[in-house]
Amino acid sequence: MYKIPVRRITGRLLFYLLFVLPPLSLSLLERYNTIDFFKNSLFSSRDDSLSAYVRKFFVNYRPRAGCVVLLEVHSGRVLVLEEWNLPDAWERNDFPFASLFKFITLSGVIEEKMYGRKDMVEYRGYPHSYIKEAWEKCDKKKMSLSKAFGISNNPLFAELGKKLGKERLLNYAYRAGFNGTYFDLPWGWVNEDEDVEYLASGLAGSYGGPLHAALVGYAIASGGWLIRPSFSKLAWKRVIGRFVSERTAREILEASEYTVKYGTAREVWREVHPPFRAGGKTGSLTGSNPRGRYEWFVGFAPLEDPEVVVAVLIVNGKYWRLKSSYLALKVMEEYLKRRGYVN
């Protein structure tokens, strides 16, 4: 009578379970971890209720165009990709990145230990001026790095760009995903021939989309890691590499609180007055596709240990109907309420 070789069958079964099926399963999951999968799949990571909450703001305020990306920090999942009059906004990387690029400049000078967030930096010019030639005609002034980031001081960040140097500035841009090709995501890009002062201050030379803006925010909120996010409940985030050290990421988080408390988003913060600490960065430039004033906000909350990152781009016409910082703070507040972090 023929005996079934149980040990041989068991061994082969274990081999397939341990060494064949896991890579095959991961390969299949990676294949479906895409933006298209997010839009159309039953297993999408999309939070329908939170997306509807965002949609309500677009319907009520009716800006010329807009989009919102919300990332969950601990899982790396995309929960909201919502757009208004911006078809395929998630596939684009040609929006002016504006002062969001100051995240990159700030990261470089802190990582290189040139300045800390409380240090005073010398500069010339009016904080919101954008004509380089006019800066040199002004007297020298000093401002703390946190305040300069919070009020978006252009000539001071131009000075930081000169001190950091174009080569190192571009290196930090690349580390943040600019000009990248990872996982076929719509990474932003920088013009490598742009004047270093205009590039460092965000006045010219940097472009990106809402998804990349959210991933830059995620890198700060997560302690310095650049990731490929998950668009599916069945897949996981993938670490691409380290953008900055945990120490630098923490410094930037603390510096970013100035934006909402005393800087360019202070009026919105006082109006919303959410019951948690938050930080972020505004940015604005005129764009042409669609035509209008492009207003950015990338934020994270709670600041002590961020749970959520939101990137908002609003395009307004002659009259501003909706501020990106207002929408971002309201969406972060709603997320934290639903997760039980705030009452």
Side-chain angles (χ1 to χ4, degrees):
M1 184 177 177
Y2 179 73
K3 293 183 179 179
I4 299 175
V6 177
R7 288 184 180 179
R8 184 180 298 176
I9 292 174
T10 304
R12 287 182 178 178
L13 184 61
L14 284 172
F15 175 81
Y16 279 103
L17 288 174
L18 292 175
F19 300 105
V20 177
L21 284 178
L24 183 62
S25 299
L26 285 172
S27 176
L28 287 172
L29 289 175
E30 287 294 318
R31 191 175 166 190
Y32 292 106
N33 190 17
T34 64
I35 296 176
D36 286 336
F37 186 87
F38 178 92
K39 295 176 183 176
N40 305 311
S41 172
L42 179 66
F43 298 105
S44 165
S45 60
R46 174 187 171 97
D47 186 318
D48 290 329
S49 178
L50 204 53
S51 297
Y53 179 81
V54 171
R55 190 78 181 170
K56 185 174 67 175
F57 280 90
F58 286 142
V59 171
N60 290 341
Y61 286 89
R62 305 187 75 80
R64 180 167 291 180
C67 48
V68 175
V69 179
L70 185 144
L71 279 170
E72 194 172 56
V73 174
H74 72 272
S75 68
R77 286 179 177 156
V78 178
L79 300 187
V80 175
L81 287 178
E82 199 66 34
E83 58 85 14
W84 176 262
N85 293 337
L86 272 181
D88 301 319
W90 329 116
E91 313 287 340
R92 291 179 57 179
N93 64 351
D94 58 344
F95 300 111
F97 222 60
S99 285
L100 292 189
F101 198 81
K102 288 184 173 78
F103 270 127
I104 311 303
T105 309
L106 184 65
S107 299
V109 296
I110 293 178
E111 185 80 350
E112 298 291 331
K113 299 183 179 178
M114 296 168 63
Y115 293 102
R117 62 186 169 88
K118 296 181 180 179
D119 291 341
M120 303 298 288
V121 183
E122 197 172 78
Y123 71 100
R124 294 176 185 268
Y126 296 105
H128 298 137
S129 63
Y130 54 87
I131 302 174
K132 180 179 171 181
E133 291 73 21
W135 299 340
E136 297 300 325
K137 299 175 183 178
C138 298
D139 295 333
K140 289 183 179 181
K141 306 170 190 174
K142 285 187 176 182
M143 185 179 289
S144 73
L145 198 54
S146 287
K147 182 177 180 179
F149 186 71
I151 71 167
S152 209
N153 187 322
N154 292 325
L156 187 146
F157 268 80
E159 188 65 29
L160 293 178
K162 283 198 298 184
K163 292 181 178 179
L164 189 60
K166 182 181 280 190
E167 185 177 347
R168 285 194 291 184
L169 181 61
L170 287 174
N171 179 50
Y172 281 99
Y174 301 149
R175 285 163 63 169
F178 285 90
N179 296 32
T181 57
Y182 318 108
F183 300 104
D184 293 325
L185 289 175
W187 300 100
W189 58 280
V190 292
N191 178 1
E192 297 170 347
D193 297 323
E194 185 59 67
D195 181 278
V196 68
E197 293 178 74
Y198 284 140
L199 182 61
S201 56
L203 290 172
S206 59
Y207 305 87
L211 183 56
H212 188 193
L215 291 174
V216 171
Y218 181 95
I220 303 302
S222 66
W225 295 103
L226 184 68
I227 66 160
R228 191 283 300 275
S230 171
F231 300 96
S232 166
K233 295 174 183 175
L234 304 177
W236 299 270
K237 64 184 178 185
R238 290 280 297 276
V239 173
I240 294 172
R242 184 169 276 287
F243 168 43
V244 290
S245 66
E246 189 172 351
R247 177 195 69 85
T248 297
R250 187 70 242 171
E251 279 275 283
I252 296 170
L253 280 175
E254 294 296 332
S256 71
E257 188 175 26
Y258 198 103
T259 302
V260 297
K261 292 186 78 173
Y262 313 109
T264 50
R266 64 188 182 279
E267 292 179 5
V268 167
W269 175 263
R270 290 166 188 166
E271 180 183 348
V272 177
H273 198 64
F276 52 83
R277 289 179 68 202
K281 183 74 190 80
T282 60
S284 59
L285 273 178
T286 300
S288 59
N289 186 21
R291 187 173 299 278
R293 190 67 176 172
Y294 289 56
E295 191 197 2
W296 287 99
F297 187 83
V298 172
F300 9 75
L303 210 59
E304 297 86 350
D305 186 16
E307 295 287 340
V308 61
V309 174
V310 176
V312 178
L313 172 61
I314 300 293
V315 182
N316 283 301
K318 183 178 180 180
Y319 302 103
W320 286 32
R321 295 177 176 271
L322 178 62
K323 287 191 174 182
S324 58
S325 51
Y326 175 79
L327 179 53
L329 286 171
K330 293 298 287 185
V331 172
M332 287 192 289
E333 182 178 34
E334 185 67 16
Y335 171 88
L336 294 173
K337 280 181 180 178
R338 295 182 184 206
R339 296 301 190 273
Y341 293 107
V342 297
N343 296 322

mmCIF file of all heavy atoms in Angstrom, residues 210-236:
data_model
loop_
_atom_site.group_PDB
_atom_site.id
_atom_site.type_symbol
_atom_site.label_atom_id
_atom_site.label_comp_id
_atom_site.label_asym_id
_atom_site.label_seq_id
_atom_site.Cartn_x
_atom_site.Cartn_y
_atom_site.Cartn_z
ATOM 1 N N PRO A 210 -1.400 68.936 -4.993
ATOM 2 C CA PRO A 210 -1.889 68.791 -3.624
ATOM 3 C C PRO A 210 -1.422 67.509 -2.944
ATOM 4 O O PRO A 210 -1.215 67.493 -1.735
ATOM 5 C CB PRO A 210 -3.414 68.819 -3.786
ATOM 6 C CG PRO A 210 -3.663 68.499 -5.222
ATOM 7 C CD PRO A 210 -2.501 69.029 -5.978
ATOM 8 N N LEU A 211 -1.258 66.430 -3.719
ATOM 9 C CA LEU A 211 -0.805 65.179 -3.111
ATOM 10 C C LEU A 211 0.635 65.305 -2.627
ATOM 11 O O LEU A 211 0.966 64.901 -1.503
ATOM 12 C CB LEU A 211 -0.943 64.024 -4.097
ATOM 13 C CG LEU A 211 -0.583 62.640 -3.565
ATOM 14 C CD1 LEU A 211 -1.401 62.289 -2.321
ATOM 15 C CD2 LEU A 211 -0.761 61.580 -4.641
ATOM 16 N N HIS A 212 1.503 65.886 -3.452
ATOM 17 C CA HIS A 212 2.887 66.066 -3.028
ATOM 18 C C HIS A 212 2.974 67.039 -1.854
ATOM 19 O O HIS A 212 3.765 66.837 -0.925
ATOM 20 C CB HIS A 212 3.738 66.569 -4.189
ATOM 21 C CG HIS A 212 5.208 66.605 -3.876
ATOM 22 N ND1 HIS A 212 6.125 67.256 -4.656
ATOM 23 C CD2 HIS A 212 5.919 66.077 -2.834
ATOM 24 C CE1 HIS A 212 7.331 67.128 -4.133
ATOM 25 N NE2 HIS A 212 7.230 66.419 -3.020
ATOM 26 N N ALA A 213 2.157 68.088 -1.863
ATOM 27 C CA ALA A 213 2.153 69.025 -0.738
ATOM 28 C C ALA A 213 1.811 68.299 0.559
ATOM 29 O O ALA A 213 2.427 68.539 1.608
ATOM 30 C CB ALA A 213 1.142 70.144 -0.999
ATOM 31 N N ALA A 214 0.831 67.396 0.498
ATOM 32 C CA ALA A 214 0.455 66.621 1.685
ATOM 33 C C ALA A 214 1.591 65.702 2.129
ATOM 34 O O ALA A 214 1.813 65.504 3.325
ATOM 35 C CB ALA A 214 -0.805 65.803 1.400
ATOM 36 N N LEU A 215 2.340 65.150 1.176
ATOM 37 C CA LEU A 215 3.441 64.247 1.518
ATOM 38 C C LEU A 215 4.619 64.997 2.136
ATOM 39 O O LEU A 215 5.321 64.458 2.993
ATOM 40 C CB LEU A 215 3.890 63.471 0.277
ATOM 41 C CG LEU A 215 2.871 62.455 -0.237
ATOM 42 C CD1 LEU A 215 3.337 61.832 -1.548
ATOM 43 C CD2 LEU A 215 2.612 61.361 0.795
ATOM 44 N N VAL A 216 4.834 66.242 1.723
ATOM 45 C CA VAL A 216 5.849 67.080 2.381
ATOM 46 C C VAL A 216 5.419 67.343 3.826
ATOM 47 O O VAL A 216 6.217 67.240 4.764
ATOM 48 C CB VAL A 216 6.053 68.400 1.620
ATOM 49 C CG1 VAL A 216 6.944 69.356 2.429
ATOM 50 C CG2 VAL A 216 6.677 68.138 0.253
ATOM 51 N N GLY A 217 4.125 67.660 4.014
ATOM 52 C CA GLY A 217 3.598 67.843 5.365
ATOM 53 C C GLY A 217 3.713 66.579 6.190
ATOM 54 O O GLY A 217 4.058 66.624 7.383
ATOM 55 N N TYR A 218 3.448 65.441 5.557
ATOM 56 C CA TYR A 218 3.561 64.157 6.262
ATOM 57 C C TYR A 218 4.998 63.920 6.724
ATOM 58 O O TYR A 218 5.228 63.419 7.833
ATOM 59 C CB TYR A 218 3.113 63.011 5.349
ATOM 60 C CG TYR A 218 3.173 61.661 6.024
ATOM 61 C CD1 TYR A 218 2.037 61.117 6.629
ATOM 62 C CD2 TYR A 218 4.357 60.936 6.101
ATOM 63 C CE1 TYR A 218 2.095 59.886 7.277
ATOM 64 C CE2 TYR A 218 4.425 59.718 6.747
ATOM 65 C CZ TYR A 218 3.288 59.196 7.324
ATOM 66 O OH TYR A 218 3.353 57.985 7.975
ATOM 67 N N ALA A 219 5.971 64.258 5.876
ATOM 68 C CA ALA A 219 7.377 64.058 6.237
ATOM 69 C C ALA A 219 7.729 64.827 7.506
ATOM 70 O O ALA A 219 8.487 64.335 8.356
ATOM 71 C CB ALA A 219 8.282 64.482 5.078
ATOM 72 N N ILE A 220 7.175 66.026 7.658
ATOM 73 C CA ILE A 220 7.413 66.811 8.874
ATOM 74 C C ILE A 220 6.667 66.199 10.059
ATOM 75 O O ILE A 220 7.223 66.029 11.144
ATOM 76 C CB ILE A 220 6.952 68.272 8.672
ATOM 77 C CG1 ILE A 220 7.657 68.912 7.467
ATOM 78 C CG2 ILE A 220 7.186 69.082 9.934
ATOM 79 C CD1 ILE A 220 9.151 68.926 7.541
ATOM 80 N N ALA A 221 5.407 65.832 9.852
ATOM 81 C CA ALA A 221 4.569 65.332 10.949
ATOM 82 C C ALA A 221 5.012 63.962 11.457
ATOM 83 O O ALA A 221 4.790 63.621 12.616
ATOM 84 C CB ALA A 221 3.112 65.258 10.486
ATOM 85 N N SER A 222 5.635 63.162 10.596
ATOM 86 C CA SER A 222 5.994 61.784 10.958
ATOM 87 C C SER A 222 7.399 61.645 11.523
ATOM 88 O O SER A 222 7.859 60.531 11.770
ATOM 89 C CB SER A 222 5.864 60.879 9.729
ATOM 90 O OG SER A 222 6.827 61.243 8.749
ATOM 91 N N GLY A 223 8.093 62.765 11.695
ATOM 92 C CA GLY A 223 9.445 62.687 12.233
ATOM 93 C C GLY A 223 10.514 62.653 11.158
ATOM 94 O O GLY A 223 11.661 62.283 11.433
ATOM 95 N N GLY A 224 10.155 63.034 9.928
ATOM 96 C CA GLY A 224 11.178 63.181 8.899
ATOM 97 C C GLY A 224 11.156 62.181 7.763
ATOM 98 O O GLY A 224 12.063 62.169 6.932
ATOM 99 N N TRP A 225 10.102 61.331 7.676
ATOM 100 C CA TRP A 225 10.081 60.264 6.675
ATOM 101 C C TRP A 225 9.232 60.633 5.461
ATOM 102 O O TRP A 225 8.072 61.003 5.598
ATOM 103 C CB TRP A 225 9.540 58.974 7.277
ATOM 104 C CG TRP A 225 10.407 58.416 8.351
ATOM 105 C CD1 TRP A 225 10.188 58.478 9.696
ATOM 106 C CD2 TRP A 225 11.651 57.743 8.186
ATOM 107 N NE1 TRP A 225 11.209 57.872 10.381
ATOM 108 C CE2 TRP A 225 12.126 57.412 9.478
ATOM 109 C CE3 TRP A 225 12.423 57.385 7.073
ATOM 110 C CZ2 TRP A 225 13.333 56.745 9.669
ATOM 111 C CZ3 TRP A 225 13.622 56.723 7.273
ATOM 112 C CH2 TRP A 225 14.066 56.399 8.564
ATOM 113 N N LEU A 226 9.800 60.474 4.279
ATOM 114 C CA LEU A 226 9.054 60.616 3.027
ATOM 115 C C LEU A 226 8.497 59.243 2.666
ATOM 116 O O LEU A 226 9.235 58.246 2.689
ATOM 117 C CB LEU A 226 9.961 61.114 1.905
ATOM 118 C CG LEU A 226 9.276 61.394 0.560
ATOM 119 C CD1 LEU A 226 8.351 62.605 0.667
ATOM 120 C CD2 LEU A 226 10.314 61.612 -0.541
ATOM 121 N N ILE A 227 7.208 59.180 2.345
ATOM 122 C CA ILE A 227 6.569 57.891 2.082
ATOM 123 C C ILE A 227 5.811 57.892 0.760
ATOM 124 O O ILE A 227 5.536 58.935 0.182
ATOM 125 C CB ILE A 227 5.570 57.505 3.199
ATOM 126 C CG1 ILE A 227 4.380 58.483 3.210
ATOM 127 C CG2 ILE A 227 6.252 57.411 4.540
ATOM 128 C CD1 ILE A 227 3.142 57.950 3.893
ATOM 129 N N ARG A 228 5.490 56.686 0.295
ATOM 130 C CA ARG A 228 4.441 56.504 -0.705
ATOM 131 C C ARG A 228 3.204 56.125 0.111
ATOM 132 O O ARG A 228 3.196 55.127 0.840
ATOM 133 C CB ARG A 228 4.806 55.369 -1.662
ATOM 134 C CG ARG A 228 3.898 55.263 -2.920
ATOM 135 C CD ARG A 228 2.537 54.651 -2.682
ATOM 136 N NE ARG A 228 2.633 53.301 -2.180
ATOM 137 C CZ ARG A 228 2.765 52.220 -2.965
ATOM 138 N NH1 ARG A 228 2.730 52.349 -4.248
ATOM 139 N NH2 ARG A 228 2.867 51.026 -2.408
ATOM 140 N N PRO A 229 2.138 56.905 0.027
ATOM 141 C CA PRO A 229 0.966 56.639 0.877
ATOM 142 C C PRO A 229 0.178 55.432 0.387
ATOM 143 O O PRO A 229 0.409 54.915 -0.709
ATOM 144 C CB PRO A 229 0.148 57.924 0.730
ATOM 145 C CG PRO A 229 0.453 58.378 -0.658
ATOM 146 C CD PRO A 229 1.900 58.047 -0.869
ATOM 147 N N SER A 230 -0.768 55.022 1.209
ATOM 148 C CA SER A 230 -1.657 53.914 0.826
ATOM 149 C C SER A 230 -3.000 54.481 0.381
ATOM 150 O O SER A 230 -3.582 55.326 1.048
ATOM 151 C CB SER A 230 -1.862 52.974 2.010
ATOM 152 O OG SER A 230 -2.870 52.040 1.719
ATOM 153 N N PHE A 231 -3.475 53.993 -0.760
ATOM 154 C CA PHE A 231 -4.784 54.375 -1.281
ATOM 155 C C PHE A 231 -5.816 53.279 -1.054
ATOM 156 O O PHE A 231 -6.945 53.378 -1.487
ATOM 157 C CB PHE A 231 -4.691 54.666 -2.782
ATOM 158 C CG PHE A 231 -3.753 55.778 -3.128
ATOM 159 C CD1 PHE A 231 -2.449 55.510 -3.516
ATOM 160 C CD2 PHE A 231 -4.161 57.098 -3.046
ATOM 161 C CE1 PHE A 231 -1.572 56.537 -3.831
ATOM 162 C CE2 PHE A 231 -3.300 58.132 -3.356
ATOM 163 C CZ PHE A 231 -1.996 57.842 -3.751
ATOM 164 N N SER A 232 -5.407 52.208 -0.365
ATOM 165 C CA SER A 232 -6.265 51.040 -0.182
ATOM 166 C C SER A 232 -6.245 50.578 1.267
ATOM 167 O O SER A 232 -5.227 50.702 1.958
ATOM 168 C CB SER A 232 -5.770 49.902 -1.092
ATOM 169 O OG SER A 232 -6.343 48.673 -0.721
ATOM 170 N N LYS A 233 -7.357 50.020 1.710
ATOM 171 C CA LYS A 233 -7.419 49.427 3.048
ATOM 172 C C LYS A 233 -6.566 48.164 3.130
ATOM 173 O O LYS A 233 -6.262 47.681 4.217
ATOM 174 C CB LYS A 233 -8.860 49.082 3.404
ATOM 175 C CG LYS A 233 -9.785 50.284 3.535
ATOM 176 C CD LYS A 233 -11.218 49.847 3.744
ATOM 177 C CE LYS A 233 -12.170 51.049 3.796
ATOM 178 N NZ LYS A 233 -13.581 50.645 3.893
ATOM 179 N N LEU A 234 -6.222 47.591 1.986
ATOM 180 C CA LEU A 234 -5.494 46.327 1.945
ATOM 181 C C LEU A 234 -3.990 46.508 1.813
ATOM 182 O O LEU A 234 -3.244 45.534 1.852
ATOM 183 C CB LEU A 234 -5.995 45.481 0.762
ATOM 184 C CG LEU A 234 -7.502 45.194 0.724
ATOM 185 C CD1 LEU A 234 -7.844 44.429 -0.538
ATOM 186 C CD2 LEU A 234 -7.928 44.410 1.957
ATOM 187 N N ALA A 235 -3.545 47.749 1.605
ATOM 188 C CA ALA A 235 -2.117 47.999 1.385
ATOM 189 C C ALA A 235 -1.554 48.883 2.489
ATOM 190 O O ALA A 235 -2.295 49.431 3.305
ATOM 191 C CB ALA A 235 -1.907 48.648 0.019
ATOM 192 N N TRP A 236 -0.234 48.978 2.496
ATOM 193 C CA TRP A 236 0.451 49.738 3.534
ATOM 194 C C TRP A 236 1.273 50.851 2.904
ATOM 195 O O TRP A 236 1.627 50.798 1.729
ATOM 196 C CB TRP A 236 1.382 48.817 4.335
ATOM 197 C CG TRP A 236 0.648 47.724 5.028
ATOM 198 C CD1 TRP A 236 0.112 47.750 6.278
ATOM 199 C CD2 TRP A 236 0.355 46.430 4.487
ATOM 200 N NE1 TRP A 236 -0.509 46.549 6.556
ATOM 201 C CE2 TRP A 236 -0.378 45.716 5.485
ATOM 202 C CE3 TRP A 236 0.621 45.795 3.277
ATOM 203 C CZ2 TRP A 236 -0.821 44.420 5.293
ATOM 204 C CZ3 TRP A 236 0.170 44.500 3.083
ATOM 205 C CH2 TRP A 236 -0.537 43.822 4.093
#
